Amino acid sequence: LGFFPSRTGAPLRCNLKQIDLTKVTETLAEVGRIGPTAEILQSLQQQIPQATLCFDVLTDTGQVAPGFGLECRSQDWPSFFQWLETQQLCRSEESQACLAWPGYSTPPQTELPWPYAWIRRSLDSQPKLPVLQRSINHVKLNILGNNVQAKAYLMWNLNWMN
């Protein structure tokens, strides 16, 4: 469970982590919102068992704002992106671009110069090679009524190899 200011206006964002997808509709009803159609949830349940449920609480009224999100993490991203395509939530080119993102980059593999601080650190007392590890963090489904939109969140992490 996490609370933090939302990006716009006065709402407070609430994230409920690892919600069983069979309980999303029930959880939303408890906070005063109607959930997504059973069809999209049943289809999503075949891809992932849990998601992070995100919604905004209006600080002036205490009511839950319209719409919510489901942050989805998958053990099988190719299948998940195929599902997004069949649900018409993304195009094939978008899936391919996201699936091409995961991997590793080292200074010799890149065309652009690496930040000076990273190179300097790699030459310190115990020389280590900076490695950027790229991965798909999650795909968020934003749901407002019958409108569903998907957005991929890609990440990178700086690691050091001996």
Side-chain angles (χ1 to χ4, degrees), residues 10-86:
L12 185 67
R13 171 64 48 94
C14 179
N15 284 1
L16 302 175
K17 293 191 174 267
Q18 298 180 338
I19 295 289
D20 186 318
L21 288 178
T22 62
K23 300 189 188 278
V24 167
T25 302
E26 177 184 322
T27 303
L28 287 169
E30 287 176 6
V31 297
R33 277 292 145 225
I34 297 173
T37 63
E39 184 178 304
I40 188 102
L41 273 180
Q42 287 176 348
S43 181
L44 182 59
Q45 287 170 19
Q46 295 176 17
Q47 297 300 311
I48 57 170
Q50 298 176 329
T52 297
L53 175 61
C54 312
F55 55 89
D56 289 335
V57 178
L58 303 174
T59 54
D60 54 347
T61 65
Q63 294 182 325
V64 175
F68 62 94
L70 291 170
E71 292 180 0
C72 306
R73 289 175 172 78
S74 176
Q75 298 297 320
D76 183 3
W77 285 117
S79 292
F80 190 82
F81 277 96
Q82 181 63 45
W83 176 81
L84 289 171
E85 287 180 41
T86 62

